[in-house]
Amino acid sequence: AEAKVAYYDQYADFAILKVEPFPEAFINVDLESVGVQNLATIFSHPEAKPLAWSKVCHVMQEKHPDIPPNFALHKCDTNVGSSGATVIDYLSLKVLAIHNGGIFTEIVESKPDQNKGYNFSTLLSYGPLKNELKKLGF
């Protein structure tokens, strides 16, 4: 199959794949939410390990100067290799964003369990991603 790059942005960490046959399970998407004050959850396979669940977490209202505005900050518990996992709004059960990574805001070398930071995800309401999803009929 031939791959075609429809849009490139160094801050847009996403790929859209067509899957056939169409899967039996389907989760709708939220193309309008900006992620403010949402509760979320993530299911992922970090480092190709068995399915991991982040439980319920908060999508943060504040922004971080090193993270572009088209991203949502969240406190979902993820591991390395969780990038690409769907961030699901806990109340509507719609896909809100795509998990990208994390950033430390405070590192406590002597007590790693006290390190503070955020995870971040590309919001589906982000222009280029939203446009591509709309072209596909979402």
Side-chain angles (χ1 to χ4, degrees):
E2 183 180 323
K4 180 181 172 190
V5 177
Y7 177 84
Y8 174 77
D9 179 334
Q10 67 178 352
Y11 296 111
D13 183 8
F14 65 86
I16 299 172
L17 306 173
K18 183 177 181 180
V19 179
E20 289 182 357
F22 194 75
E24 291 180 25
F26 174 76
I27 300 175
N28 211 340
V29 297
D30 182 347
L31 299 179
E32 304 306 323
S33 180
V34 293
V36 176
Q37 297 179 355
N38 289 29
L39 292 174
T41 192
I42 296 177
F43 293 93
S44 65
H45 290 276
E47 299 178 325
K49 293 178 182 170
L51 186 64
W53 180 37
S54 70
K55 309 261 184 321
V56 179
C57 58
H58 289 277
V59 178
M60 311 307 288
Q61 185 172 3
E62 64 264 19
K63 295 294 181 182
H64 189 279
D66 296 332
I67 304 294
N70 53 287
F71 283 73
L73 297 176
H74 62 84
K75 290 286 193 173
C76 293
D77 194 14
T78 59
N79 291 310
V80 174
S82 293
S83 293
T86 54
V87 180
I88 300 169
D89 183 287
Y90 187 72
L91 300 176
S92 72
L93 298 180
K94 291 182 178 180
V95 177
L96 177 68
I98 300 171
H99 176 71
N100 301 88
I103 186 168
F104 283 115
T105 56
E106 181 182 343
I107 299 174
V108 183
E109 299 263 346
S110 61
K111 298 179 182 177
D113 59 325
Q114 292 183 15
N115 290 343
K116 294 183 180 159
Y118 300 100
N119 285 321
F120 53 90
S121 300
T122 304
L123 290 162
L124 295 191
S125 60
Y126 173 51
L129 180 53
K130 179 179 179 176
N131 293 341
E132 291 300 317
L133 290 170
K134 281 190 167 188
K135 280 189 221 174
L136 293 170
F138 287 94

